Amino acid sequence: MKSTQIEYSALSRGYYKVITVQDKTVSVTKERNAEAVKNNIDDARWNKIVSAFSKVNLEGLSTLKAPTNKRTYDGAAIGNLKIVKDGKTYETPGFDNGFPPKEIEELVNLLVDFSKE
């Protein structure tokens, strides 16, 4: 995972959150134009992220279907998972923040937990 960056974003008119994980560090930005808060990730948590990441089919990210559609009427922020691995970018279509597709749910939930601290 040395050459891998994972980014989860949840955006709407009144909501902004971007969480970026790379090489045992996490950056969390909770407001537009705000400085990211950076922290190191402990080994136990990093191992959970690596495990969840290993279950993700990168080539299939772009075809995942959102389980809910609240974002279409401002009922939820638009969530998005983007992974850059070895210089190639893989990205999901938008989905409702809090309701990721099952295939990436474990990884997204681990990332979102960083914003709750």
Side-chain angles (χ1 to χ4, degrees):
M1 297 244 327
K2 286 271 186 214
S3 61
T4 302
Q5 177 180 310
I6 305 169
E7 178 182 287
Y8 175 72
S9 60
L11 312 170
S12 71
R13 285 183 301 192
Y15 189 83
Y16 185 90
K17 184 182 302 177
V18 177
I19 303 158
T20 306
V21 169
Q22 184 171 17
D23 198 23
K24 287 192 166 186
T25 61
V26 61
S27 301
V28 178
T29 308
K30 293 185 180 180
E31 294 179 26
R32 295 178 208 284
N33 304 321
E35 283 289 317
V37 176
K38 295 183 181 185
N39 289 301
N40 290 324
I41 303 172
D42 64 63
D43 288 341
R45 205 165 185 185
W46 180 250
N47 290 337
K48 286 181 183 179
I49 291 169
V50 170
S51 173
F53 176 78
S54 71
K55 299 172 192 168
V56 173
N57 172 5
L58 295 177
E59 297 295 335
L61 281 184
S62 64
T63 62
L64 292 180
K65 299 284 184 241
T68 56
N69 285 308
K70 295 178 181 182
R71 68 198 175 284
T72 59
Y73 58 84
D74 277 348
I78 299 170
N80 181 275
L81 182 69
K82 179 168 77 173
I83 298 171
V84 179
K85 181 174 172 59
D86 299 325
K88 187 165 185 201
T89 301
Y90 305 90
E91 198 164 357
T92 63
F95 55 87
D96 293 347
N97 180 42
F99 301 93
K102 284 277 181 236
E103 297 87 343
I104 59 170
E105 183 175 27
E106 181 182 3
L107 180 60
V108 168
N109 288 341
L110 286 167
L111 299 177
V112 169
D113 282 347
F114 286 113
S115 68
K116 296 176 182 173
E117 295 175 359

